[in-house]
Amino acid sequence: MIQKAVLSQLPEILKIYGQARVFMAQTGNPDQWGDAYPPVEMIREDIENGKCYVNLDGDKIRAVFYFAVEEDPTYGYIEGAWRNDRPYGVIHRIAVGENGKGAAAECFRFAYERCGNLRIDTHEKNIPMQRCLGKNGFTRCGIIYLEDGDPRIAYQWSKDNAHENS
């Protein structure tokens, strides 16, 4: 089950993000989130704005992610090409807990079913996420740049390419 997160879940959400940072470091990607991303203030704001979601197994959180149908300013310029220019949903800050096998795919499906056009990005060293995106309907579109200038690999899953990975 996927639902909007509530503030009482913040301690468990922070634990999931901590596990994700450890996993990323162990799999060759120590820099994308470093030791403190996402900061607790950002997560709290995501929850208060209704954009933080949790994937639950009973009352235990399997995964957490940001989802909103909105334009992301960092997606305004891409070296490459988006699949289309239609309104889209964005997924950011997705993290899966230690017992969350298959949870990311459920989160992606949840978001896709709500808008049919998703964009996401990841670090070049985040090979597990790149594989996960490829297995779950996303097409690599090019490189975008964060506000601080760091490059990210950009992906899109839309009805235009849904048949390619289904």
Side-chain angles (χ1 to χ4, degrees), residues 9 40 42 50 55 66 69 79 83 96-97 102 104-105 112 123 129 134-135 148 150-151 154 159-161:
Q9 294 169 317
V40 66
M42 179 182 281
N55 179 324
Y66 175 102
V69 177
E79 290 176 358
R83 306 275 310 172
V96 176
Y112 182 79
H123 195 278
M129 180 56 73
K135 285 187 216 173
D148 66 5
D150 282 350
K159 294 185 187 319
D160 304 306
N161 64 311

Side-chain angles (χ1 to χ4, degrees), residues 110-128:
F110 170 88
Y112 182 79
E113 288 168 0
R114 276 143 188 82
C115 65
N117 195 25
L118 291 176
R119 292 181 182 180
I120 191 171
D121 63 86
T122 193
H123 195 278
E124 68 181 353
K125 292 183 180 176
N126 196 338
I127 304 303

Side-chain angles (χ1 to χ4, degrees), residues 34-60:
D35 295 328
Y37 187 86
V40 66
E41 303 81 26
M42 179 182 281
I43 301 164
R44 183 177 280 116
E45 186 176 309
D46 290 350
I47 293 170
E48 290 170 349
N49 291 331
K51 297 178 180 181
C52 181
Y53 289 81
V54 289
N55 179 324
L56 299 169
D57 180 8
D59 62 351
K60 183 158 179 54

